[in-house]
Amino acid sequence: MFQLLAPTLTDGPFGDPGLLVDLKGEKRALLFDLGDLSRLPPRVLMRIDDIFVSHTHMDHFAGFDGWLRVVLGRKQRVVLTGGPGFVDQVEHKLRAYTWNVVQRYPVALQLDVRELRPDGRWQRACFSSRSGFAREDAEPPALPAGVLHDDALLRVRAAFVDHGMPCLAFAIDGKPRPRVAPDRLAALGVTRGAWLRELKAAVLAGAPAETPIRVRWRDRAGAHEALRMVGELAAAVLDVVPGERIGYVTDLRFSDDNRARLRALLAGVDRLVIESVFLDADRAHAERKNHLTARQAGCIARELGARIVVPMHFSSRYLARGDELRAELRAAHAAGPARSA
Ligand SMILES: [Zn+2]
Ligand SMILES: [Zn+2]
């Protein structure tokens, strides 16, 4: 089955946490967290149109400078979304450099920076290289509660979890996609062509059923053309495939409240990428650090009914023991009643 969302960790399980979600065939990607991005080649960084930052501890935000250095003068616009204080923090990063020549770059970069507060209010400002990244306050984005991004192919939602500070957990929901049913296409007596692409785009964009589509096709008898409507064509030749759902969850305490928030955000998720920082034997230490153990991460994955669970954010204290962290996570994901910390 065609999967639109191609997720990969940006820095391996022991590195800084981060998830790149490439959209196959779309030449664009989303990035969750700005830690060490040095493993991502510039052509990949250039595809990223939307960046989401869970919180601004250094391991999630220190990659901002390296990222900016690659896209500056080459890319036109990027949207960055984070939690409380984020707009000021991006501004402070930008203020740390001297921008006396950047106005002359042929390609101007605009950063559209959005900050979601725990009470649901937004703050937003834009920073353009044309004006030396001077802050221009902007209207809040027009998005439903809990939604950070919405386009024809996917939606990103978030909820705040407690990490001794507010931290965003993310849901990346691929939207249902139309797929051509070849047997029914043949039964209709038409062949593939540009009109099918047009039809799928119209369905994805939510076009009214009576929208006309000019169907052009060729067969042995020659070229044909017919005017049909989106609704009848879609019913005749398209199936709807549910979109994949991915969760990106880091950093947080193992508390009842956090677990309830994650259930509300991510129940039934297909793939859960989740921090598994410590072994459960070091649970007291994990609690002091406001992090999960691998066992706790596995419990959360099971509570959510996650089909696939991908651990990350391993503590460097277990450098040669990654397999133990993975085994503990897998065991908790597979069986046993959930346990409070
Ligand atoms: Zn943190
Ligand atoms: Zn962290």
Side-chain angles (χ1 to χ4, degrees):
M1 187 175 83
F2 177 79
Q3 296 282 355
L4 170 73
L5 306 177
T8 44
L9 292 181
T10 53
D11 196 24
F14 282 101
D16 286 350
L19 186 72
L20 177 81
V21 179
D22 234 321
L23 307 189
K24 277 190 225 160
E26 294 292 317
K27 298 194 180 75
R28 67 180 169 111
L30 293 82
L31 178 67
F32 294 83
D33 279 338
L34 278 166
D36 185 348
L37 303 176
S38 56
R39 293 189 192 196
L40 297 182
R43 66 182 159 75
V44 172
L45 295 178
M46 284 295 294
R47 279 209 291 275
I48 299 166
D49 290 344
D50 296 274
I51 296 174
F52 304 86
V53 175
S54 61
H55 64 304
T56 47
H57 279 157
M58 278 196 86
D59 50 332
H60 301 255
F61 197 40
F64 178 92
D65 292 26
W67 161 79
L68 181 62
R69 190 156 188 222
V70 169
V71 300
L72 182 58
R74 300 170 71 195
K75 198 167 170 70
Q76 289 185 322
R77 183 171 181 269
V78 180
V79 180
L80 296 106
T81 304
F86 189 62
V87 172
D88 283 347
Q89 287 171 315
V90 170
E91 183 180 15
H92 296 157
K93 287 224 176 235
L94 293 167
R95 293 277 73 80
Y97 292 99
T98 305
W99 302 111
N100 62 315
V101 293
V102 74
Q103 292 86 347
R104 294 188 222 139
Y105 289 6
V107 179
L109 172 67
Q110 190 194 50
L111 304 181
D112 178 342
V113 185
R114 300 160 178 201
E115 166 181 332
L116 181 65
R117 310 255 176 88
D119 63 7
R121 284 183 305 134
W122 286 94
Q123 170 124 6
R124 181 182 180 196
C126 294
F127 301 86
S128 170
S129 61
R130 280 266 183 265
S131 55
F133 291 113
R135 175 174 176 151
E136 295 165 41
D137 285 315
E139 290 292 310
L143 290 164
V147 175
L148 305 189
H149 171 94
D150 194 14
D151 66 43
L153 300 179
L154 62 92
R155 183 177 294 129
V156 178
R157 295 176 296 119
F160 280 101
V161 289
D162 173 26
H163 173 47
M165 63 182 284
C167 177
L168 288 164
F170 299 100
I172 306 123
D173 304 329
K175 291 188 179 175
R177 286 175 65 85
R179 185 177 58 184
V180 178
D183 49 332
R184 289 194 274 134
L185 192 65
L188 200 67
V190 296
T191 57
R192 288 172 185 272
W195 67 273
L196 259 181
R197 261 197 311 281
E198 209 184 311
L199 173 65
K200 284 198 274 187
V203 170
L204 273 173
E210 58 277 15
T211 307
I213 295 261
R214 197 166 290 282
V215 182
R216 291 190 176 94
W217 75 100
R218 285 186 151 277
D219 57 21
R220 265 174 289 173
H224 307 272
E225 189 176 315
L227 196 63
R228 306 288 283 269
M229 289 188 291
V230 162
E232 58 165 332
L233 283 174
V237 302
L238 297 183
D239 286 329
V240 175
V241 186
E244 191 187 7
R245 297 177 57 218
I246 298 173
Y248 176 78
V249 175
T250 194
D251 303 358
L252 69 163
R253 306 164 54 80
F254 189 67
S255 68
D256 290 345
D257 188 44
N258 277 347
R259 287 156 66 191
R261 284 159 182 260
L262 292 176
R263 283 196 298 274
L265 182 71
L266 290 168
V269 72
D270 294 303
R271 180 185 297 261
L272 178 68
V273 180
I274 186 165
E275 69 158 43
S276 305
V277 183
F278 298 104
L279 285 170
D280 209 54
D282 297 321
R283 197 164 61 241
H285 185 66
E287 211 173 319
R288 277 196 300 278
K289 296 273 203 171
N290 298 311
H291 276 297
L292 300 180
T293 68
R295 183 178 189 282
Q296 290 166 344
C299 285
I300 289 171
R302 186 167 42 74
E303 284 175 353
L304 298 179
R307 207 159 39 85
I308 299 166
V309 55
V310 180
M312 60 163 190
H313 211 339
F314 291 174
S315 165
S316 57
R317 65 162 63 189
Y318 309 112
L319 261 185
R321 302 167 69 190
D323 286 347
E324 287 177 55
L325 287 158
R326 284 187 201 90
E328 195 174 282
L329 173 100
R330 266 201 308 274
H333 181 211
R339 181 177 76 168
S340 290

